Amino acid sequence: MSYTTAGASYLDVEIAFGEPTPVLTPDSDFDTKQIGGTEVKLRLKNNIQGLPAAKFIIPEKGLECIVYSTVQEFEVEKAAESILQAYAKL
């Protein structure tokens, strides 16, 4: 899934099966939040191109979700919440 605004902002989501990959951490900090019982790591400075803005495992599905984005953290959090809600209904 990919979303680009009229400006330079973007939000890309990658969802894949497999072993969780380590989160790249140069020049950034993560805020860990519980969203619907799932631990979601949110990058506090998500404007670093090429580094994940959020990362989490979709429970009971065995899927790793990585969000790349330059939008504000609360927008990334809303996207993560929407993804988790959608997969919970499957």
Side-chain angles (χ1 to χ4, degrees):
M1 176 176 82
S2 182
Y3 171 78
T4 305
T5 66
S9 297
Y10 66 89
L11 189 137
D12 291 324
V13 178
E14 294 179 3
I15 300 175
F17 283 107
E19 292 294 317
T21 56
V23 178
L24 302 174
T25 59
D27 300 325
S28 65
D29 293 316
F30 282 92
D31 184 16
T32 301
K33 294 190 176 185
Q34 291 287 325
I35 298 176
T38 300
E39 183 178 280
V40 177
K41 293 187 180 291
L42 297 162
R43 187 177 302 282
L44 299 176
K45 296 178 184 177
N46 62 351
N47 58 351
I48 304 169
Q49 192 164 4
L51 295 180
K55 181 178 175 183
F56 55 94
I57 302 295
I58 298 170
E60 300 176 10
K61 306 291 185 213
L63 298 172
E64 178 182 50
C65 182
I66 301 175
V67 179
Y68 296 92
S69 183
T70 56
V71 297
Q72 295 179 348
E73 181 184 348
F74 78 93
E75 293 290 344
V76 174
E77 185 176 344
K78 287 186 342 187
E81 185 175 359
S82 294
I83 292 165
L84 287 165
Q85 287 175 353
Y87 274 94
K89 295 177 183 178
L90 296 178

